[in-house]
Amino acid sequence: MLPVKMCISASAASRIIFQCLRFYCQKPPKKLRICEAVSSSDMGTNVKVQGWVRSVRHQKQNLFLHVNDGSSLQSLQVVASSQLNHRLLTFGSAVEVSGLLVKSPSRRQEVELQANQIHVVGECNPVDFPFKVKERHDLEYIRQFPHLRCRTNTFSSLLRIRSEATTAIQLYFRDKGYVQVHTPVITSNDCEGAGELFQVEQEEDGGQPFFSVPAYLVVSGQLHLEVIAGAFPGVFSFGPTFRAENSQSRRHLAEFFMVEAEISFTQSLEDLMKVMEEMFRSTTEHLLAQCPEDVALFHKHVTPGHNVRTQSISTKYQHQNTMITYTEAIDILNRSSQKFAFETDWGCDLQTEHEKYLVKHCGNIPLFVTDYPYTLKPFYARDNLDKPLHTVAAVDLLVPGVGELCGGTLREERLDLLKTRLALAGLDETYRWYLDLRRFGSVPHGGFGMGFERYLQCVLGVDNIRDVIPFPRYSHSCLL
């Protein structure tokens, strides 16, 4: 059989070559996060997005999806031909979508993605999935699913807010010249002296203790910060702390995050209050500026009306007008017609009910309470030498809806007074190193700590502290 000769004209050959060049030279779609796609800055661009389907709507000729990747509260609307529909394309499934980003004809969104390719990366059975597309689940319900609740609008907003608040706090201290210190999680110190410690009991082969001394999970990084503050004017830490408090209350966790700061060369509670105030205000203003939609979601659907309080806190916070002594606080409580479950005698520890009443009495804005009884505070609190009352230079910041948010003291820098107090407590040998800090180049100093989760409760109005941390740990509960 004779071979067949194929003749191709020059023009046809040129078209084939051009098509091949066009195919191989075509730019791949630009990969965007959802927050970038919905910003409209890449209109008319061939793009690719990856995320999870928040809703699916089928029509005869078209398919509509809303896809979200956690970078934004707003989802991206995807419009595709019904030919791209797939049985695995369901609510909750993970997808990768490519297409043209165009202006949307609808007023509900600025842009939409006209898809030419949809790939289901991970399937999700909507029947078994605990969250339903048309239902608004409350915080108590989604708390049952710590491994899945980040897929809800509410909790993804919370995680973005946590991230931005973390950034804002670190920016505040960086701009003020503080040095961040990574304090240890395992310690031999009981900073608070309350005895609510998780002991580390790992043993080596042969039954010998792993550490040469009793070791615990840290309740505060303060003592370690005091060490570093002997060489820097300002230091801070931001990390997990632990309390073995057998409590099921809405206020307490066994593991939570603390922001702690230590300031050298200060003999004034006013200096500490100024840092607390500035950090609180700058962090809140940052959140309102960077996460307006996420914060608004909480104020509208989770804690309606809380927006007014948050705005008030961030704009009317002036500590000169919101400061009372502990003695004045006790007087206010004793003159109140409200009946309290706990006593209000001078020398008692202020309880949450007392703190909330004081905040409300003083205008429902942040309130500083200073000069607590000597017997209520740990050994390191500076003695005011004001007998017969006998108080220490301590300050707590109380905020609406939460009560105590920050607690701080000036530290006892006078060696003789510190030695006497440690000796009376039988701690002089244990804290010999702490006395050394006073012997070698000591300066007057002070510091404070702020519970990060309580701060989020205050700003967002969330009642239960377990709803502002990704994986809550508390008595009889350690899921995941």
Side-chain angles (χ1 to χ4, degrees), residues 182-187 200 216-219 224 239-240 242:
H182 298 127
T183 54
V185 171
I186 299 175
T187 180
V200 179
Y216 311 93
L217 295 183
V218 70
V219 299
H224 301 97
F242 306 85

Side-chain angles (χ1 to χ4, degrees), residues 30 50 142 180 208 306 393:
K30 182 179 181 180
Q50 297 162 322
I142 68 173
Q180 183 171 8
Q208 296 299 316
H306 190 76

